[in-house]
């Protein structure tokens, strides 16, 4: 069910990965950000919107990971946006003849048969440097940054005091870096992303992460500092001592420890 987190801003949380689909209400329709995982969840969200008398006017994907670029026919044929790099990434995925099978292989087995893929990644890339999502509602400022995935972006709804952070600042998911190659610096990119989110934190009363619980203004900076400390510890070659890692991880999220160990191992392999 939809839950209001600020005036005119509601969320719908998925059961498995605690993904937060975000609805921003406007005068003629709604902006739908990162809209759900399974058939049942997405039809439930569509039903909730109908009960509110809202149709989907526009969609936005914060980044190109599979769980943020799904869509359902019940949402209608509204334009779906992402940053230019985000849209280019999913176009490349869909260009492979066996793209659907490849995406399906990466789905959690618990929901693999329940996740509709036909409309996966059909995004319109906004021009590089676009400042906001085009729609008839509160200004939705795009904060594009290099952390986590190509074309990742947070969305600031300043009029409502809400920051939609994408896959950052979570209380259950540790920082997950972009794929490491021979020349890039995904940890440095992540620190850049955190700085950009910190720059707007004073304008935010409510922060909605891609996964996990919503927090208020008093906790936003604490989450930024927690993620920064995590990144710096990984950069130093150590698995972080973090409440989201190891025995203190939330039940069902113990696998985040594997992410932490893998990060340290990959960096050590490249350095060696």
């Amino acid at each position: 069910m939809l839950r209001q987190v600020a005036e005119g801003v509601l969320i719908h949380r998925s059961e498995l990965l605690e993904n937060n689909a975000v609805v921003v209400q406007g005068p003629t329709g709604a902006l739908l950000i990162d809209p759900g995982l399974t058939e049942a969840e997405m039809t439930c969200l569509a039903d909730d919107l109908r009960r509110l008398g809202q149709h989907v006017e526009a969609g936005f994907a914060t980044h190109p990971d599979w769980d943020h670029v799904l869509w359902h026919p019940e949402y209608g044929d509204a334009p779906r946006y992402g940053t230019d790099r985000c849209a280019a990434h999913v176009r490349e995925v869909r260009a492979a003849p066996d793209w659907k099978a490849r995406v399906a292989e990466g789905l959690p087995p618990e929901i693999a048969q329940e996740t509709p893929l036909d409309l996966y990644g059909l995004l319109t890339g906004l021009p590089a440097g676009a400042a906001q999502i085009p729609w008839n509602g509160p200004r939705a400022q795009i904060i594009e940054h290099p952390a986590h995935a190509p074309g990742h972006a947070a969305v600031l709804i300043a009029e409502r005091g809400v920051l939609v952070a994408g896959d950052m600042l979570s209380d259950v998911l540790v920082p997950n870096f972009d794929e490491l190659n021979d020349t890039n610096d995904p940890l440095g990119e992540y620190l850049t992303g955190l700085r950009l989110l910190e720059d707007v934190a004073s304008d935010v009363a409510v922060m909605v992460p891609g996964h996990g619980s919503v927090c208020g203004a008093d906790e936003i900076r604490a989450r930024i500092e927690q993620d920064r400390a995590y990144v710096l510890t990984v950069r130093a070659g150590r698995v972080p001592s973090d409440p989201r890692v190891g025995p203190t991880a939330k039940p069902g999220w113990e696998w985040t420890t594997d992410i932490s160990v893998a990060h340290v191992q990959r960096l050590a392999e490249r350095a060696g």
Side-chain angles (χ1 to χ4, degrees), residues 230 239-240 256-266:
Y230 180 99
V239 174
T256 57
T257 301
D258 297 335
I259 293 177
S260 302
V261 172
H263 287 156
V264 173
Q265 288 176 341
R266 288 203 305 270

Side-chain angles (χ1 to χ4, degrees), residues 64-65 83-94 120 150 178:
D65 287 353
T83 65
D84 185 59
R85 289 187 68 203
C86 172
H89 184 87
V90 290
R91 277 198 306 272
E92 185 176 340
V93 171
R94 288 184 61 100
Y120 171 98
D178 195 6

Side-chain angles (χ1 to χ4, degrees), residues 240-264:
S241 175
D242 185 290
R244 297 164 293 183
V245 175
T248 56
K250 183 176 180 179
W253 289 84
E254 295 86 356
W255 51 273
T256 57
T257 301
D258 297 335
I259 293 177
S260 302
V261 172
H263 287 156
V264 173

Side-chain angles (χ1 to χ4, degrees), residues 39-98:
E39 176 86 23
E41 289 168 356
M42 288 191 271
T43 54
C44 177
L45 175 51
D47 289 342
D48 287 348
L49 286 170
R50 279 191 287 269
R51 280 192 285 271
L52 290 172
Q54 293 268 297
H55 72 280
V56 178
E57 183 172 297
F60 186 79
T62 56
H63 60 290
D65 287 353
W66 70 268
D67 52 328
H68 296 263
V69 297
L70 300 170
W71 197 255
H72 195 279
E74 291 285 336
Y75 297 150
D77 58 357
R80 299 164 56 191
Y81 301 109
T83 65
D84 185 59
R85 289 187 68 203
C86 172
H89 184 87
V90 290
R91 277 198 306 272
E92 185 176 340
V93 171
R94 288 184 61 100
D98 59 345

